Amino acid sequence: MMAAGLAASNLVLYAFVYTPLKQIHPVNTWVGAVVGAIPPLLGWAAASGGQISLNSMILPAALYFWQIPHFMALAYMCRHDYAAGGYKMLSLADTSGRRTAMVALRNCIYMVPLGFMAYELGMASGWFCLESSVLTLAIAASAFSFYREPTTEKARKMFHASLLYLPIFMAGILLHRQTEMSTDELSSSMSAEVEDREDERSRSHAKKKELLDGSNFGTRVRAPVAYASVAPFPFLPAPSYVSS
């Protein structure tokens, strides 16, 4: 229900709030960032049975903050196209480009603690904390370069940096993920599960053999047709057997 609710809410937010806002106010970028951040939270809710925790907010936070420099770069590069299409973007009212670049830089800085949070919450190893920090500082450097010299070329470099950031960040958290159980505990758990399945298979085999041997029917073994004739038609009298 949690996943379904998030999906329905995101559909409404995208179609009836974000899309109309594009031609009304520059805040549409931040609303769109919320729309883009919900899918990983939706996936977490579906996989965890509707449980939302601090761990579940790492990827949504990364996607939310990442979208701001990504779209600020795009909005600055295509500002004339946005103006011609009637879309209200922050870059249209920012002739110098510095305000657009500052917003992008600020959100890049917000992404710096995410690797440390993933490590502290036990989601990823210390290596991911280090790699995420270096990666985030790299995109922040491109945003700072755009701030110092707000040109289309600098915006394009920041845009390219944002395209690299997200897949590397997600690959890193996947590669360095931590499970709740250690390797030894996981191995022991898997061994116990295999043993339980083997025991269950043995008991099932013994039970089938017992039925075939007729141990549940006394000393007389009934033909298989007896069981089939009684089971589908319980209203019929049980067949009689004549001992030979």
Side-chain angles (χ1 to χ4, degrees):
M1 290 301 295
M2 176 66 74
L6 286 170
S9 300
N10 213 29
L11 180 61
V12 172
L13 187 63
Y14 183 89
F16 300 105
V17 181
Y18 169 61
T19 300
L21 271 176
K22 289 180 179 181
Q23 295 182 320
I24 298 175
H25 197 276
V27 76
N28 70 78
T29 303
W30 284 265
V31 176
V34 174
V35 171
I38 287 179
L41 184 62
L42 189 158
W44 184 289
S48 64
Q51 297 180 2
I52 302 297
S53 61
L54 285 177
N55 295 28
S56 66
M57 301 305 296
I58 298 295
L59 280 180
L63 274 167
Y64 176 84
F65 293 126
W66 165 83
Q67 286 177 93
I68 305 303
H70 176 76
F71 281 105
M72 288 299 159
L74 190 63
Y76 189 81
M77 289 190 297
C78 305
R79 58 190 182 280
H80 301 298
D81 295 328
Y82 279 118
Y87 292 98
K88 307 297 183 182
M89 308 302 290
L90 181 65
S91 58
L92 301 185
D94 182 22
T95 55
S96 67
R98 290 191 177 276
R99 185 181 178 190
T100 302
M102 176 54 70
V103 171
L105 177 60
R106 183 167 64 241
N107 282 271
C108 287
I109 295 173
Y110 293 158
M111 292 190 291
V112 174
L114 293 179
F116 179 76
M117 290 175 63
Y119 169 69
E120 280 295 309
L121 293 173
M123 289 184 62
S125 67
W127 282 108
F128 175 73
C129 178
L130 177 62
E131 292 169 3
S132 173
S133 299
V134 173
L135 182 65
T136 307
L137 289 175
I139 189 175
S142 69
F144 181 69
S145 176
F146 177 42
Y147 175 74
R148 290 184 60 187
E149 188 181 349
T151 63
T152 302
E153 183 62 29
K154 295 293 184 180
R156 183 175 289 107
K157 288 183 178 180
M158 184 176 71
F159 179 75
H160 290 160
S162 71
L163 293 179
L164 291 173
Y165 174 85
L166 201 59
I168 296 176
F169 180 90
M170 290 188 170
I173 200 170
L174 179 65
L175 180 64
H176 299 295
R177 69 188 186 278
Q178 298 278 17
T179 60
E180 294 182 358
M181 293 187 295
S182 65
T183 305
D184 294 338
E185 290 174 337
L186 185 60
S187 178
S188 300
S189 176
M190 292 178 65
S191 299
E193 185 176 352
V194 170
E195 290 177 1
D196 290 342
R197 289 182 179 177
E198 290 294 335
D199 291 342
E200 184 178 354
R201 190 178 294 111
S202 299
R203 288 194 297 268
S204 177
H205 180 72
K207 187 174 182 179
K208 288 180 180 179
K209 187 175 184 302
E210 183 180 348
L211 289 173
L212 291 175
D213 290 342
S215 57
N216 286 349
F217 300 96
T219 57
R220 181 172 57 187
V221 179
R222 295 184 177 181
V225 70
Y227 323 138
S229 62
V230 174
F233 308 106
F235 52 85
L236 295 179
S240 59
Y241 296 90
V242 179
S243 58
S244 56

